C-alpha cells in the first residue's frame, strides 16, 4: 500500500499558505490593544503606525496633541510591529516612573534606542 499525493504544484501550495502566514505574523499581532480595550489609531500591517508618523513628520507635536484629544491620555500605538503604550496622565506617569519603576524598567526595545550619550540619560531609557 503506497501513499500517493495529489498532483499540485508548489505555486498552489504557496498561494494557500502565504496569506495564512501573513495573517498570523503581520496582521494578528496588531490587534493586541484592541483585545485589551486600549484606544488608538488603526495600524497598518507590517509598518504599524510608522507610515502615518513619517507622513506627518516624526516629531510632529500637533499630530501628537490631536491623538491625545482623540484617544485620551492613555492610548496604544504601533511603531513597526512593536506595540507602544503612550501615557500623558501626570499621576499615572508618576506611578510608572517613580513608584513602580522596578516593574517598568527596560521599556525601550534595543532596536528603538539610540546608543548615544544624551539618549542614555533619559529617564525612560534607564534600566535596573
Amino acid at each position: 500500500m503506497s501513499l500517493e499525493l495529489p498532483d499540485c504544484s508548489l505555486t498552489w501550495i504557496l498561494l494557500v499558505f502565504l496569506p495564512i502566514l501573513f495573517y498570523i505574523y503581520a496582521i494578528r499581532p496588531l490587534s493586541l490593544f484592541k483585545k485589551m480595550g486600549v484606544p488608538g489609531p488603526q495600524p497598518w500591517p507590517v509598518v504599524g503606525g510608522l507610515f502615518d508618523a513619517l507622513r506627518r513628520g516624526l516629531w510632529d507635536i500637533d499630530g501628537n496633541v490631536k491623538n491625545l484629544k482623540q484617544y485620551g491620555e492613555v492610548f496604544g500605538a504601533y511603531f513597526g510591529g512593536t506595540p507602544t503604550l503612550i501615557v500623558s496622565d501626570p499621576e499615572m506617569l508618576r506611578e510608572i516612573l517613580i513608584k513602580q519603576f522596578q516593574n517598568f524598567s527596560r521599556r525601550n526595545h534595543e532596536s528603538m534606542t539610540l546608543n548615544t550619550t544624551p539618549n542614555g540619560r533619559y529617564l525612560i531609557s534607564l534600566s535596573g
Side-chain angles (χ1 to χ4, degrees), residues 3-125:
L3 179 66
E4 292 185 26
L5 297 174
D7 187 28
C8 62
S9 69
L10 181 62
T11 305
W12 288 107
I13 294 172
L14 289 176
L15 283 174
V16 170
F17 285 109
L18 283 180
I20 295 170
L21 291 174
F22 182 76
Y23 173 77
I24 290 172
Y25 291 105
I27 295 176
R28 192 173 71 179
L30 298 178
S31 64
L32 174 71
F33 288 133
K34 189 175 186 178
K35 287 179 190 174
M36 298 173 99
V38 177
Q42 182 66 33
W44 291 75
V46 180
V47 295
L50 198 57
F51 178 72
D52 294 329
L54 289 174
R55 189 183 59 189
R56 287 190 327 253
L58 287 176
W59 305 108
D60 179 33
I61 300 300
D62 295 331
N64 293 334
V65 170
K66 180 184 138 201
N67 282 339
L68 285 173
K69 288 180 181 177
Q70 185 174 358
Y71 301 113
E73 292 182 328
V74 178
F75 66 93
Y78 290 86
F79 295 105
T82 305
T84 305
L85 191 66
I86 303 349
V87 179
S88 65
D89 178 37
E91 286 301 316
M92 190 177 290
L93 284 172
R94 184 174 293 115
E95 183 73 25
I96 292 169
L97 296 175
I98 298 172
K99 296 178 182 176
Q100 298 290 326
F101 181 78
Q102 70 277 4
N103 297 323
F104 292 98
S105 63
R106 303 289 297 169
R107 288 173 292 280
N108 280 342
H109 192 269
E110 285 82 16
S111 66
M112 295 179 64
T113 304
L114 296 174
N115 193 12
T116 59
T117 303
N119 190 41
R121 295 180 183 167
Y122 293 148
L123 183 62
I124 62 170
S125 297

